[in-house]
Amino acid sequence: SSLSPGAKKHPPRSPSPSPVPKKHPPKKHPPKPKELTEEEKEAKRLRFETLRGEFLEYSNWRLLPGKTVHQDDVVKSFRAHYPDRYATEADLAKSEIEEVISDWYHRKIRLSVVEGVYEGFHLNPKFLFDGNVGAPIPAPMPEPAPAVQGNN
């Protein structure tokens, strides 16, 4: 079948009524976070500044330059450094520690972070216990001195 010049390949369609748009249920947005009062904002800022100072003190003892470390290990080590204040999630949320780590890292080191692994620093091995984060490794016991033979 040959088409004459200018003929359309498809026959014209009869005008059909336009489809009725589907009605979607209204999107449920999460509730907006409660706006903090000025006092709450100031308390949060002071807490962050306190944590910043404590993390700086911690970093001077427990972190060394070079290598890499996972964020979870730094969180555990930070908790171990302040066992009386921050030993549990109830004492200090992991997210708050992670925020302070990130703040310190981006002010001091500024290398990449991939999947929670920070480049450019690592935990001081002096403060690892049995290869895990925690208390310092106990010093090895000295070898007993050989018994001195007396003249009897």
Side-chain angles (χ1 to χ4, degrees), residues 4-95:
S4 61
K8 293 184 178 179
K9 193 173 186 177
H10 300 289
R13 296 178 66 183
S14 62
S16 63
S18 54
V20 177
K22 292 181 183 178
K23 290 190 175 181
H24 296 289
K27 290 183 180 179
K28 292 183 179 178
H29 296 288
K32 289 184 178 179
K34 183 186 113 187
E35 189 69 30
L36 297 177
T37 66
E38 288 304 315
E39 293 81 24
E40 290 170 326
K41 287 178 186 176
E42 182 64 11
K44 189 173 182 176
R45 188 190 67 73
L46 289 173
R47 178 170 171 86
F48 186 75
E49 288 302 316
T50 299
L51 288 173
R52 237 182 175 182
E54 290 172 335
F55 191 85
L56 185 60
E57 178 187 316
Y58 155 83
S59 71
N60 289 333
W61 287 95
R62 299 250 181 157
L63 303 179
L64 296 175
K67 301 184 185 179
T68 61
V69 65
H70 196 278
Q71 177 174 282
D72 291 345
D73 292 331
V74 180
V75 169
K76 288 178 198 170
S77 176
F78 182 77
R79 288 191 191 282
H81 190 73
Y82 294 106
D84 297 337
R85 285 183 265 175
Y86 304 130
T88 67
E89 187 73 12
D91 298 330
L92 179 64
K94 179 181 176 186
S95 61

